[in-house]
Amino acid sequence: MISKKMRPFLENNSAIRMMFEEGKKMAELYGADKVYDFSLGNPNVPAPQKVGEAIKEILDEEDPLFVHGYMSNAGYPQVREAIAENLNQRFGTSFAGRNLIMTVGAGSGLNVALKTVLDPGDEVLTFAPYFLEYRAYVTNYDGVLVTVEPDTETFQVNLEAFRAKINEKTKAVIINNPNNPTGVVYSEETICALAAVLNEKQAAYGHEIYLISDEPYRELVFDGAAVPFVTKYYDNTMVVYSYSKSLSLPGERIGYLLIPDEVSESAATIDAATIANRISGCVNAPSLIQLAVGRCVDCQADLDFYDRNRKTLYEGLTSMGFDCVRPQGAFYLWMKVPAGKQAKDKASSDGCSRETAAAAGMTEAADRKELLAAEAEFVQAAKRYHILAVPGSSFACPGYVRLAYCVSYETIVNALPEFRKLAADYGLSV
Amino acid sequence: MISKKMRPFLENNSAIRMMFEEGKKMAELYGADKVYDFSLGNPNVPAPQKVGEAIKEILDEEDPLFVHGYMSNAGYPQVREAIAENLNQRFGTSFAGRNLIMTVGAGSGLNVALKTVLDPGDEVLTFAPYFLEYRAYVTNYDGVLVTVEPDTETFQVNLEAFRAKINEKTKAVIINNPNNPTGVVYSEETICALAAVLNEKQAAYGHEIYLISDEPYRELVFDGAAVPFVTKYYDNTMVVYSYSKSLSLPGERIGYLLIPDEVSESAATIDAATIANRISGCVNAPSLIQLAVGRCVDCQADLDFYDRNRKTLYEGLTSMGFDCVRPQGAFYLWMKVPAGKQAKDKASSDGCSRETAAAAGMTEAADRKELLAAEAEFVQAAKRYHILAVPGSSFACPGYVRLAYCVSYETIVNALPEFRKLAADYGLSV
């Protein structure tokens, strides 16, 4: 008697989560130091010391009724104001506390945004490869997630494919910048081009198209890359943020949804989103940690840690002959599955899109099948060396794997010889 | 461009929440000690000292990666096992950790349960008066909430009305025990009778009917009242719990959903609920506070505090001639709106049910209109004395008000003279 909507999930549970459970089992079996688990975005940098200190200070200084009690559904006013002010300082924006709704992480922020604007049948566009939970989130509100094929040269937005997919049913577009799983940062040029298309299509269709920017990795950028603040480029933008990655608090479920005054009917939209947050059952974002992040708006992520991991892994893998996208942001490395004996030459650059493959008919379908087989074979081959990687098909982009390098530095150093064996199995130039 | 489903909420926002905001404004205007806000179930007993201590100990003793990191979506295994063991000790049950899914409070637990089992058009029965958010929760999954008229003599379950409403579309029944807003505790006799009807109807319709027991007030009982543990009486029971009230942590959003092995296909149901928790965007219950409640399973609520409030308020109000249900549990007092000059004799005992009124036609509809007018007038009259009470219509039961006595003792003592003035205005025997 499980609901019809939930049944497919039972059969097709999150590959990432299943791998997380598998990683835990493998760690028990072989010892944690003998398992190289690159499957989950669970930061290995501890939360800044200031977070723990802030929590203790709040417990010591504040009334427990205030610390653990209900507050306005959108969150503590002073926390929202502190965050708004911090954003304004950093990005030259002019947000007020009222523009922010504190949420149970970015996952909940995305759900609140989608619940606020989606009617059944509305289409939401996103760009492959993408975090597969987006599909579940859109389906929660009977929307239809439509995938835009990637530009596999740059993994920036594929504008031509975007133009082909956007239509009058399109109610929202989700971007994730810096990107999970590719580690790419969308450039200002990309965001401007995206905004131009959206403005043109809003005018053509006579209704709002919301750009929902999912930005939990905003601060995690390297090589001086700049992440454009999207609200400055397109009016109907909502920003979803989480402290999961920047402050290493993924289990705490704390983030926010930002709805600027520039959004159409912004006051009503903010009210509706606040109600959506309440009736989804969250009621409000957890109180103590909400107060704590309010005191830690200036805290910095330990970028050096991630940068060392990034360079070590990227340089190690490319030197072995693996074909990787050079990560500029987040803490993921996106690697092409090397062609095996059977699968040689099948991991072609246009392998990402289910839709393309389907449209082009039998040959591509067969190619895709082989691509999936090659990817599965590679993931299994890696597992033999206790390396856990998430298959690209988990991001609607088979033929790749994602390696989350938010692990300890030792994990990367110790994994490299195992990767070398894997490279040798695949006949790469070692 | 706000979604069609969210628009009605904008016009008809939660009366309780609006009153909460209004109370805050009144406190600013007149001073907090001059406002008697009985509107919100925000406990005035601070969280037990052990909770704060546990949080600090966890921060000092445990690895921050463990404390703030992702865990299995259902929660930390050791927390779930500690809770299961505590329940088993207290209720002679035999739950394991796997039967528990830690949730973002009871609100989220209810949503997860409903998302797991509801198909569009399925009916969910609940008993008036009820926490009005149930309607929003059921609507989230395109279910239909059907209200069973109350037994206004006892405010136990009205079995006759229940039998009349249950049908083959019924997929679930929500009870809230101890009850918000009436303060009544459902007896073992009530639960047995309910289980008998449910078993009979399950057999007749050939499908499961889930009994979802919402129990955030389980420990808050007085006069030696016993709250039956419902899983022992009916197999297809799910229990939703929150630490909001027992440990005074409403803002923290921490609770659980319990799915016993006796539930049909329990393993698949637990898996589906765990996935529902994830894809709703919550991902998991907040980590630090989850660990903290795991260390506080033995903590007791300060019952004496509530009991003193309960007796003082109940005895004070009844001595003034107000007609109140004697509260046995939770921290709410349910009071009949006294008949005013215009509304005299209209606050009849069958005034609760919108359905009854509608079915009986014009006279009752007119009566109901007067009842609503009398209730609104009373709430306004109370506000003139800075007393905030939630109208019964907010619980689908006009003609009453709910007074949340989880306020400070001083609030009650200082409010009584104001209630006396209100009683005098209504010509009650003072």
Side-chain angles (χ1 to χ4, degrees), chain A residues 1 3-4 13 17 24 56 60 68 71-73 115-116 119 133 140 171 208 251-253 278-279 282 284 287-288, chain B residues 1 3-4 13 17 24 56 60 68 71-73 115-116 119 133 140 171 208 251-253 278-279 282 287-288:
Chain A
M1 283 295 277
S3 74
K4 289 187 189 78
N13 206 341
R17 275 286 161 175
K24 285 200 302 182
K56 287 180 184 172
D60 288 338
H68 305 298
M71 80 296 307
S72 297
N73 290 144
K115 186 174 177 66
T116 302
D119 284 316
E133 294 289 270
N140 282 340
K171 179 70 78 68
E208 287 82 2
E252 298 292 356
R253 315 308 304 139
R278 189 192 86 216
I279 65 173
C282 291
N284 56 250
S287 53
L288 171 59
Chain B
M1 283 296 276
S3 74
K4 290 186 189 77
N13 207 342
R17 276 287 162 175
K24 284 200 302 181
K56 288 180 185 172
D60 288 338
H68 304 299
M71 82 295 308
S72 297
N73 290 143
K115 185 173 177 68
T116 302
D119 285 315
E133 294 289 89
N140 281 341
K171 178 70 79 64
E208 287 83 2
E252 299 293 357
R253 314 309 303 138
R278 189 191 85 216
I279 65 174
C282 290
S287 51
L288 172 58

Short mmCIF file of all heavy atoms in Angstrom, two decimals, chain A residues 1 3-4 13 17 24 56 60 68 71-73 115-116 119 133 140 171 208 251-253 278-279 282 284 287-288, chain B residues 1 3-4 13 17 24 56 60 68 71-73 115-116 119 133 140 171 208 251-253 278-279 282 287-288:
data_model
loop_
_atom_site.label_atom_id
_atom_site.label_comp_id
_atom_site.label_asym_id
_atom_site.label_seq_id
_atom_site.Cartn_x
_atom_site.Cartn_y
_atom_site.Cartn_z
N MET A 1 0.82 -1.21 0.00
CA MET A 1 0.00 0.00 0.00
C MET A 1 0.85 1.26 0.00
O MET A 1 0.42 2.35 0.39
CB MET A 1 -0.94 -0.01 1.20
CG MET A 1 -2.11 -0.92 1.03
SD MET A 1 -3.21 -0.37 -0.31
CE MET A 1 -4.20 0.85 0.60
N SER A 3 2.48 4.39 -1.63
CA SER A 3 1.86 5.23 -2.66
C SER A 3 2.52 4.98 -4.02
O SER A 3 3.71 4.67 -4.09
CB SER A 3 1.97 6.70 -2.28
OG SER A 3 3.30 7.16 -2.46
N LYS A 4 1.74 5.17 -5.07
CA LYS A 4 2.23 4.90 -6.43
C LYS A 4 3.43 5.78 -6.74
O LYS A 4 4.35 5.37 -7.45
CB LYS A 4 1.11 5.16 -7.44
CG LYS A 4 0.00 4.12 -7.38
CD LYS A 4 -1.01 4.32 -8.51
CE LYS A 4 -2.23 3.42 -8.33
NZ LYS A 4 -3.18 3.96 -7.29
N ASN A 13 16.61 3.40 -5.72
CA ASN A 13 17.05 4.29 -4.65
C ASN A 13 18.30 5.06 -5.08
O ASN A 13 18.99 4.68 -6.01
CB ASN A 13 17.30 3.48 -3.38
CG ASN A 13 17.14 4.33 -2.13
OD1 ASN A 13 17.18 5.54 -2.18
ND2 ASN A 13 16.99 3.67 -1.00
N ARG A 17 23.42 7.47 -2.16
CA ARG A 17 23.11 7.05 -0.81
C ARG A 17 23.42 5.57 -0.61
O ARG A 17 23.92 5.16 0.42
CB ARG A 17 21.64 7.33 -0.49
CG ARG A 17 21.43 8.75 -0.01
CD ARG A 17 21.96 8.88 1.41
NE ARG A 17 22.20 10.27 1.76
CZ ARG A 17 22.57 10.64 2.99
NH1 ARG A 17 22.76 9.74 3.94
NH2 ARG A 17 22.77 11.91 3.25
N LYS A 24 30.22 2.41 4.10
CA LYS A 24 30.30 2.15 5.54
C LYS A 24 30.54 0.67 5.80
O LYS A 24 31.34 0.29 6.65
CB LYS A 24 29.00 2.60 6.23
CG LYS A 24 28.90 4.11 6.38
CD LYS A 24 27.91 4.53 7.46
CE LYS A 24 26.52 3.98 7.19
NZ LYS A 24 25.55 4.41 8.19
N LYS A 56 28.23 27.00 22.00
CA LYS A 56 28.40 27.02 23.47
C LYS A 56 28.07 28.40 24.04
O LYS A 56 27.41 28.50 25.08
CB LYS A 56 29.82 26.63 23.83
CG LYS A 56 30.11 25.14 23.63
CD LYS A 56 31.54 24.83 24.02
CE LYS A 56 31.88 23.37 23.75
NZ LYS A 56 33.32 23.10 23.96
N ASP A 60 25.24 29.41 26.75
CA ASP A 60 25.60 30.06 28.02
C ASP A 60 24.93 31.43 28.17
O ASP A 60 24.57 31.82 29.27
CB ASP A 60 27.12 30.25 28.10
CG ASP A 60 27.84 28.93 28.33
OD1 ASP A 60 27.19 27.98 28.83
OD2 ASP A 60 29.04 28.83 27.98
N HIS A 68 15.78 27.41 21.93
CA HIS A 68 15.16 26.17 21.44
C HIS A 68 13.69 26.34 21.09
O HIS A 68 13.01 25.36 20.79
CB HIS A 68 15.27 25.07 22.51
CG HIS A 68 16.66 24.80 22.98
ND1 HIS A 68 17.64 24.34 22.14
CD2 HIS A 68 17.23 24.92 24.22
CE1 HIS A 68 18.77 24.17 22.85
NE2 HIS A 68 18.56 24.51 24.10
N MET A 71 10.31 30.34 16.52
CA MET A 71 10.49 31.73 16.14
C MET A 71 9.55 31.95 14.94
O MET A 71 8.80 31.04 14.60
CB MET A 71 11.96 32.03 15.81
CG MET A 71 12.48 31.63 14.46
SD MET A 71 12.52 29.85 14.06
CE MET A 71 13.38 29.13 15.41
N SER A 72 9.59 33.13 14.32
CA SER A 72 8.79 33.30 13.10
C SER A 72 9.19 32.21 12.11
O SER A 72 10.35 31.81 12.06
CB SER A 72 9.06 34.68 12.49
OG SER A 72 8.65 35.68 13.39
N ASN A 73 8.22 31.71 11.33
CA ASN A 73 8.49 30.58 10.43
C ASN A 73 9.66 30.84 9.49
O ASN A 73 10.35 29.91 9.08
CB ASN A 73 7.26 30.24 9.60
CG ASN A 73 6.14 29.61 10.42
OD1 ASN A 73 4.98 29.85 10.17
ND2 ASN A 73 6.48 28.80 11.41
N LYS A 115 7.64 24.27 -4.54
CA LYS A 115 6.26 24.20 -4.05
C LYS A 115 5.56 25.55 -4.22
O LYS A 115 4.37 25.61 -4.48
CB LYS A 115 6.24 23.77 -2.58
CG LYS A 115 4.86 23.53 -1.99
CD LYS A 115 4.96 22.96 -0.57
CE LYS A 115 3.61 22.76 0.09
NZ LYS A 115 2.78 21.74 -0.54
N THR A 116 6.32 26.61 -4.08
CA THR A 116 5.75 27.95 -4.17
C THR A 116 5.29 28.29 -5.59
O THR A 116 4.28 28.97 -5.76
CB THR A 116 6.78 29.00 -3.70
OG1 THR A 116 7.16 28.68 -2.35
CG2 THR A 116 6.23 30.41 -3.74
N ASP A 119 2.86 24.51 -10.75
CA ASP A 119 1.56 23.86 -10.93
C ASP A 119 1.81 22.53 -11.64
O ASP A 119 2.83 22.38 -12.34
CB ASP A 119 0.64 24.75 -11.77
CG ASP A 119 0.09 25.92 -10.96
OD1 ASP A 119 -0.33 25.70 -9.81
OD2 ASP A 119 0.09 27.05 -11.49
N GLU A 133 18.61 14.38 -7.40
CA GLU A 133 17.48 14.68 -6.51
C GLU A 133 16.59 15.77 -7.09
O GLU A 133 15.41 15.86 -6.74
CB GLU A 133 17.98 15.11 -5.13
CG GLU A 133 18.71 14.01 -4.35
CD GLU A 133 17.81 12.90 -3.86
OE1 GLU A 133 17.28 13.00 -2.74
OE2 GLU A 133 17.66 11.91 -4.61
N ASN A 140 7.85 15.98 -6.76
CA ASN A 140 7.06 16.21 -5.54
C ASN A 140 5.87 17.12 -5.79
O ASN A 140 4.83 16.99 -5.14
CB ASN A 140 7.94 16.86 -4.45
CG ASN A 140 8.85 15.87 -3.75
OD1 ASN A 140 8.61 14.66 -3.78
ND2 ASN A 140 9.90 16.38 -3.11
N LYS A 171 8.39 26.81 -16.30
CA LYS A 171 8.11 27.71 -15.18
C LYS A 171 9.39 28.07 -14.43
O LYS A 171 9.47 29.13 -13.80
CB LYS A 171 7.11 27.03 -14.22
CG LYS A 171 6.72 27.81 -12.99
CD LYS A 171 5.87 29.02 -13.25
CE LYS A 171 4.41 28.71 -13.51
NZ LYS A 171 3.66 28.20 -12.38
N GLU A 208 6.17 34.62 -15.88
CA GLU A 208 7.46 34.52 -15.22
C GLU A 208 8.12 33.16 -15.49
O GLU A 208 7.44 32.13 -15.53
CB GLU A 208 7.32 34.67 -13.70
CG GLU A 208 7.03 36.08 -13.22
CD GLU A 208 5.56 36.44 -13.31
OE1 GLU A 208 4.74 35.59 -13.71
OE2 GLU A 208 5.22 37.59 -12.98
N GLY A 251 24.99 17.60 8.08
CA GLY A 251 23.99 16.89 8.87
C GLY A 251 23.04 17.82 9.61
O GLY A 251 21.96 17.41 10.04
N GLU A 252 23.45 19.10 9.74
CA GLU A 252 22.65 20.02 10.55
C GLU A 252 21.43 20.58 9.83
O GLU A 252 20.52 21.09 10.47
CB GLU A 252 23.52 21.19 11.05
CG GLU A 252 24.68 20.77 11.94
CD GLU A 252 24.22 20.22 13.29
OE1 GLU A 252 23.02 20.22 13.57
OE2 GLU A 252 25.09 19.77 14.05
N ARG A 253 21.46 20.51 8.52
CA ARG A 253 20.32 20.96 7.71
C ARG A 253 20.01 22.43 7.97
O ARG A 253 18.95 22.77 8.51
CB ARG A 253 19.08 20.09 7.96
CG ARG A 253 19.31 18.60 7.99
CD ARG A 253 20.06 18.04 6.79
NE ARG A 253 19.39 18.38 5.54
CZ ARG A 253 20.04 18.75 4.44
NH1 ARG A 253 21.35 18.86 4.42
NH2 ARG A 253 19.39 19.03 3.34
N ARG A 278 6.46 26.10 6.17
CA ARG A 278 5.73 25.65 7.36
C ARG A 278 4.95 24.37 7.06
O ARG A 278 5.10 23.38 7.77
CB ARG A 278 4.76 26.76 7.81
CG ARG A 278 4.11 26.50 9.15
CD ARG A 278 2.96 27.48 9.39
NE ARG A 278 1.74 26.99 8.80
CZ ARG A 278 0.79 27.74 8.22
NH1 ARG A 278 0.93 29.04 8.14
NH2 ARG A 278 -0.29 27.17 7.72
N ILE A 279 4.14 24.40 6.01
CA ILE A 279 3.22 23.27 5.80
C ILE A 279 3.91 22.04 5.22
O ILE A 279 3.35 20.96 5.23
CB ILE A 279 1.98 23.65 4.94
CG1 ILE A 279 2.39 24.02 3.52
CG2 ILE A 279 1.17 24.73 5.61
CD1 ILE A 279 1.20 24.24 2.60
N CYS A 282 8.35 21.26 7.95
CA CYS A 282 9.59 21.76 8.57
C CYS A 282 9.29 22.79 9.65
O CYS A 282 10.01 22.90 10.63
CB CYS A 282 10.48 22.40 7.51
SG CYS A 282 11.16 21.19 6.35
N ASN A 284 10.07 25.49 10.72
CA ASN A 284 11.15 26.49 10.65
C ASN A 284 12.47 25.76 10.60
O ASN A 284 12.53 24.56 10.89
CB ASN A 284 11.10 27.46 11.84
CG ASN A 284 11.14 26.76 13.19
OD1 ASN A 284 10.15 26.74 13.93
ND2 ASN A 284 12.27 26.17 13.54
N SER A 287 16.61 25.71 15.35
CA SER A 287 16.84 26.99 16.00
C SER A 287 18.27 27.24 16.47
O SER A 287 18.87 28.27 16.13
CB SER A 287 15.86 27.15 17.17
OG SER A 287 15.91 26.04 18.04
N LEU A 288 18.85 26.32 17.23
CA LEU A 288 20.19 26.57 17.78
C LEU A 288 21.22 26.76 16.68
O LEU A 288 22.02 27.71 16.71
CB LEU A 288 20.58 25.40 18.72
CG LEU A 288 22.02 25.38 19.24
CD1 LEU A 288 22.35 26.64 20.03
CD2 LEU A 288 22.24 24.14 20.12
N MET B 1 2.28 34.51 -10.13
CA MET B 1 2.69 33.19 -10.62
C MET B 1 2.91 32.21 -9.47
O MET B 1 3.59 31.20 -9.59
CB MET B 1 3.98 33.33 -11.43
CG MET B 1 3.73 33.86 -12.81
SD MET B 1 2.72 32.71 -13.80
CE MET B 1 4.02 31.60 -14.40
N SER B 3 1.88 29.22 -7.17
CA SER B 3 1.16 28.02 -7.60
C SER B 3 -0.29 28.06 -7.11
O SER B 3 -0.59 28.62 -6.05
CB SER B 3 1.85 26.77 -7.09
OG SER B 3 1.63 26.62 -5.70
N LYS B 4 -1.18 27.43 -7.89
CA LYS B 4 -2.62 27.46 -7.56
C LYS B 4 -2.85 26.84 -6.18
O LYS B 4 -3.74 27.26 -5.45
CB LYS B 4 -3.41 26.70 -8.62
CG LYS B 4 -3.46 27.42 -9.96
CD LYS B 4 -4.38 26.69 -10.95
CE LYS B 4 -4.26 27.30 -12.35
NZ LYS B 4 -3.01 26.86 -13.04
N ASN B 13 -4.02 32.44 6.00
CA ASN B 13 -2.82 31.99 6.72
C ASN B 13 -3.20 31.46 8.11
O ASN B 13 -4.27 31.72 8.62
CB ASN B 13 -1.83 33.15 6.83
CG ASN B 13 -0.40 32.63 6.94
OD1 ASN B 13 -0.17 31.47 7.27
ND2 ASN B 13 0.55 33.49 6.69
N ARG B 17 -0.46 31.14 13.86
CA ARG B 17 0.78 31.83 13.55
C ARG B 17 0.59 33.34 13.48
O ARG B 17 1.41 34.10 13.92
CB ARG B 17 1.35 31.30 12.22
CG ARG B 17 2.15 30.06 12.39
CD ARG B 17 3.48 30.42 13.04
NE ARG B 17 4.14 29.27 13.61
CZ ARG B 17 5.36 29.33 14.15
NH1 ARG B 17 6.02 30.47 14.18
NH2 ARG B 17 5.90 28.26 14.67
N LYS B 24 3.55 39.12 19.50
CA LYS B 24 4.87 39.75 19.59
C LYS B 24 4.73 41.27 19.47
O LYS B 24 5.38 42.02 20.19
CB LYS B 24 5.80 39.20 18.48
CG LYS B 24 6.31 37.79 18.79
CD LYS B 24 7.55 37.45 17.99
CE LYS B 24 7.30 37.57 16.50
NZ LYS B 24 8.50 37.23 15.72
N LYS B 56 26.91 20.29 24.86
CA LYS B 56 28.31 20.67 25.11
C LYS B 56 29.22 19.46 25.18
O LYS B 56 30.33 19.47 24.65
CB LYS B 56 28.39 21.48 26.41
CG LYS B 56 27.82 22.89 26.28
CD LYS B 56 27.95 23.62 27.61
CE LYS B 56 27.30 24.97 27.56
NZ LYS B 56 27.25 25.60 28.90
N ASP B 60 32.42 18.55 22.88
CA ASP B 60 33.75 18.34 23.47
C ASP B 60 34.30 16.95 23.18
O ASP B 60 35.50 16.77 23.00
CB ASP B 60 33.70 18.54 25.00
CG ASP B 60 33.52 20.01 25.37
OD1 ASP B 60 33.85 20.87 24.53
OD2 ASP B 60 33.04 20.30 26.48
N HIS B 68 28.42 16.91 12.97
CA HIS B 68 27.73 17.80 12.03
C HIS B 68 27.61 17.18 10.63
O HIS B 68 27.17 17.87 9.71
CB HIS B 68 28.49 19.13 11.91
CG HIS B 68 28.70 19.85 13.20
ND1 HIS B 68 27.68 20.27 14.00
CD2 HIS B 68 29.86 20.21 13.84
CE1 HIS B 68 28.17 20.87 15.08
NE2 HIS B 68 29.49 20.85 15.00
N MET B 71 24.56 11.46 8.16
CA MET B 71 24.49 10.10 8.66
C MET B 71 23.50 9.36 7.74
O MET B 71 23.05 9.94 6.76
CB MET B 71 24.08 10.09 10.14
CG MET B 71 22.61 10.21 10.47
SD MET B 71 21.78 11.77 10.04
CE MET B 71 22.80 13.02 10.76
N SER B 72 23.16 8.12 8.06
CA SER B 72 22.12 7.45 7.26
C SER B 72 20.86 8.32 7.29
O SER B 72 20.58 8.96 8.32
CB SER B 72 21.82 6.07 7.84
OG SER B 72 22.98 5.27 7.77
N ASN B 73 20.12 8.35 6.19
CA ASN B 73 18.96 9.24 6.12
C ASN B 73 17.96 9.04 7.26
O ASN B 73 17.26 9.96 7.66
CB ASN B 73 18.21 9.05 4.79
CG ASN B 73 18.98 9.58 3.59
OD1 ASN B 73 18.95 8.98 2.54
ND2 ASN B 73 19.70 10.67 3.75
N LYS B 115 3.14 11.06 2.81
CA LYS B 115 3.75 10.94 1.48
C LYS B 115 3.99 9.47 1.15
O LYS B 115 3.91 9.06 -0.01
CB LYS B 115 5.08 11.72 1.45
CG LYS B 115 5.76 11.77 0.08
CD LYS B 115 6.99 12.70 0.11
CE LYS B 115 7.74 12.70 -1.21
NZ LYS B 115 7.00 13.33 -2.31
N THR B 116 4.30 8.69 2.17
CA THR B 116 4.60 7.27 1.96
C THR B 116 3.37 6.48 1.52
O THR B 116 3.49 5.56 0.71
CB THR B 116 5.18 6.67 3.25
OG1 THR B 116 6.35 7.40 3.60
CG2 THR B 116 5.54 5.20 3.08
N ASP B 119 -2.21 8.11 -2.11
CA ASP B 119 -2.38 8.38 -3.55
C ASP B 119 -3.41 9.50 -3.69
O ASP B 119 -4.24 9.70 -2.80
CB ASP B 119 -2.87 7.11 -4.26
CG ASP B 119 -1.76 6.09 -4.43
OD1 ASP B 119 -0.65 6.49 -4.82
OD2 ASP B 119 -2.00 4.91 -4.16
N GLU B 133 -3.28 22.16 10.67
CA GLU B 133 -2.22 21.86 9.72
C GLU B 133 -2.41 20.46 9.10
O GLU B 133 -1.90 20.21 8.02
CB GLU B 133 -0.84 21.93 10.39
CG GLU B 133 -0.45 23.33 10.85
CD GLU B 133 -0.13 24.29 9.72
OE1 GLU B 133 -1.07 24.96 9.26
OE2 GLU B 133 1.04 24.39 9.32
N ASN B 140 -0.98 18.30 0.75
CA ASN B 140 0.34 18.22 0.11
C ASN B 140 0.46 17.02 -0.82
O ASN B 140 1.17 17.07 -1.81
CB ASN B 140 1.44 18.10 1.18
CG ASN B 140 1.78 19.42 1.84
OD1 ASN B 140 1.48 20.48 1.31
ND2 ASN B 140 2.40 19.37 3.02
N LYS B 171 -7.70 5.84 3.51
CA LYS B 171 -6.37 5.21 3.52
C LYS B 171 -5.71 5.36 4.89
O LYS B 171 -4.86 4.55 5.25
CB LYS B 171 -5.49 5.85 2.43
CG LYS B 171 -4.06 5.34 2.33
CD LYS B 171 -3.94 3.92 1.81
CE LYS B 171 -4.08 3.79 0.32
NZ LYS B 171 -3.06 4.43 -0.49
N GLU B 208 -5.16 -1.91 3.40
CA GLU B 208 -4.70 -1.36 4.67
C GLU B 208 -5.35 0.01 4.93
O GLU B 208 -5.54 0.80 4.01
CB GLU B 208 -3.18 -1.15 4.68
CG GLU B 208 -2.36 -2.41 4.78
CD GLU B 208 -2.18 -3.12 3.45
OE1 GLU B 208 -2.65 -2.59 2.41
OE2 GLU B 208 -1.59 -4.20 3.44
N GLY B 251 11.63 24.67 18.54
CA GLY B 251 12.35 25.30 17.43
C GLY B 251 13.40 24.40 16.80
O GLY B 251 13.84 24.64 15.68
N GLU B 252 13.79 23.34 17.54
CA GLU B 252 14.89 22.49 17.05
C GLU B 252 14.47 21.51 15.98
O GLU B 252 15.30 20.97 15.25
CB GLU B 252 15.54 21.73 18.21
CG GLU B 252 16.16 22.63 19.27
CD GLU B 252 17.38 23.39 18.76
OE1 GLU B 252 17.77 23.18 17.60
OE2 GLU B 252 17.90 24.22 19.52
N ARG B 253 13.18 21.24 15.90
CA ARG B 253 12.65 20.34 14.87
C ARG B 253 13.30 18.96 14.96
O ARG B 253 14.04 18.54 14.06
CB ARG B 253 12.84 20.93 13.46
CG ARG B 253 12.47 22.38 13.29
CD ARG B 253 11.11 22.75 13.79
NE ARG B 253 10.06 21.97 13.17
CZ ARG B 253 9.01 21.48 13.84
NH1 ARG B 253 8.87 21.68 15.14
NH2 ARG B 253 8.09 20.78 13.23
N ARG B 278 14.04 11.84 2.76
CA ARG B 278 15.16 12.40 2.00
C ARG B 278 14.67 13.33 0.91
O ARG B 278 15.10 14.48 0.82
CB ARG B 278 15.96 11.25 1.38
CG ARG B 278 17.28 11.67 0.75
CD ARG B 278 17.89 10.55 -0.09
NE ARG B 278 17.34 10.56 -1.43
CZ ARG B 278 17.08 9.48 -2.16
NH1 ARG B 278 17.29 8.27 -1.68
NH2 ARG B 278 16.57 9.59 -3.37
N ILE B 279 13.75 12.84 0.07
CA ILE B 279 13.39 13.63 -1.12
C ILE B 279 12.45 14.80 -0.80
O ILE B 279 12.29 15.69 -1.63
CB ILE B 279 12.80 12.76 -2.26
CG1 ILE B 279 11.47 12.14 -1.86
CG2 ILE B 279 13.80 11.72 -2.72
CD1 ILE B 279 10.78 11.41 -3.01
N CYS B 282 14.37 17.28 3.42
CA CYS B 282 14.93 17.28 4.78
C CYS B 282 16.25 16.52 4.81
O CYS B 282 17.13 16.83 5.59
CB CYS B 282 13.95 16.62 5.74
SG CYS B 282 12.48 17.60 6.03
N SER B 287 21.57 16.98 12.96
CA SER B 287 22.48 16.00 13.55
C SER B 287 22.81 16.25 15.02
O SER B 287 22.66 15.33 15.85
CB SER B 287 23.76 15.93 12.71
OG SER B 287 24.30 17.21 12.50
N LEU B 288 23.26 17.43 15.38
CA LEU B 288 23.70 17.66 16.76
C LEU B 288 22.55 17.45 17.74
O LEU B 288 22.71 16.75 18.76
CB LEU B 288 24.27 19.10 16.89
CG LEU B 288 24.60 19.60 18.30
CD1 LEU B 288 25.61 18.71 19.01
CD2 LEU B 288 25.14 21.04 18.24
#
